[in-house]
Amino acid sequence: MSLLERISQDLKAALKSGATLKVGALRFVLAQIHNQEIASRSRGRTEILTDAEVQEVIRREVKKRKEAIDLFRANNRQDLLDKEEAELKVISGYLPAMMSE
C-alpha cells in the first residue's frame, strides 16, 4: 500500500470516527499532495507521486507547523499552539522515524 493510499484510508476512518482535528489535518495534507501532482503534470509528468515525493510534501508541512508553533509560543497564543501541535503529531506520523545521533 502506498503512502498516499494509507493517508486516504486514514482520512476515511477519521471521518467515520468523527475526529475533526485529524480530518482537517489529513485533508490539508492531501490537498498539498494534489497541488504537487498538478505542478508535476505541468512539467510533462503523467504518473502519480512516489512515496518519496509524498514524504517530501509531508516534511514541508511538518516544517510549516513547527515554525507556526514557535511563532504562537512567542506570542502566547495557547489556543492556536495546541491546535498546531496536535496537527503536527498527526502529520508527522506519516514520516519514517529519524535516526538518532
Side-chain angles (χ1 to χ4, degrees):
M1 174 186 329
S2 74
L3 184 57
L4 184 59
E5 291 170 343
R6 192 173 122 213
I7 294 171
S8 296
Q9 286 182 350
D10 288 350
L11 174 62
K12 289 176 190 174
L15 282 167
K16 288 179 183 178
S17 70
T20 56
L21 185 83
K22 187 172 183 177
V23 168
L26 292 178
R27 279 186 176 163
F28 189 78
V29 168
L30 285 174
Q32 295 303 315
I33 292 169
H34 182 69
N35 289 341
Q36 184 66 33
E37 287 177 341
I38 291 171
S40 67
R41 273 190 245 140
S42 69
R43 289 179 257 145
R45 192 171 154 195
T46 57
E47 59 273 352
I48 61 172
L49 296 179
T50 64
D51 280 352
E53 293 167 324
V54 171
Q55 286 177 358
E56 184 59 36
V57 171
I58 294 171
R59 275 191 208 91
R60 282 194 307 254
E61 293 306 312
V62 165
K63 182 180 176 188
K64 288 178 189 176
R65 296 298 186 289
K66 287 180 180 179
E67 290 171 354
I69 287 170
D70 292 339
L71 185 65
F72 294 146
R73 187 171 286 131
N75 292 312
N76 295 325
R77 292 295 312 261
Q78 190 62 38
D79 55 334
L80 298 174
L81 178 67
D82 294 340
K83 179 182 177 282
E84 290 295 324
E85 286 177 338
E87 286 182 1
L88 176 64
K89 186 177 177 183
V90 169
I91 294 170
S92 61
Y94 294 99
L95 290 175
M98 300 301 254
M99 293 179 59
S100 63
E101 291 182 30

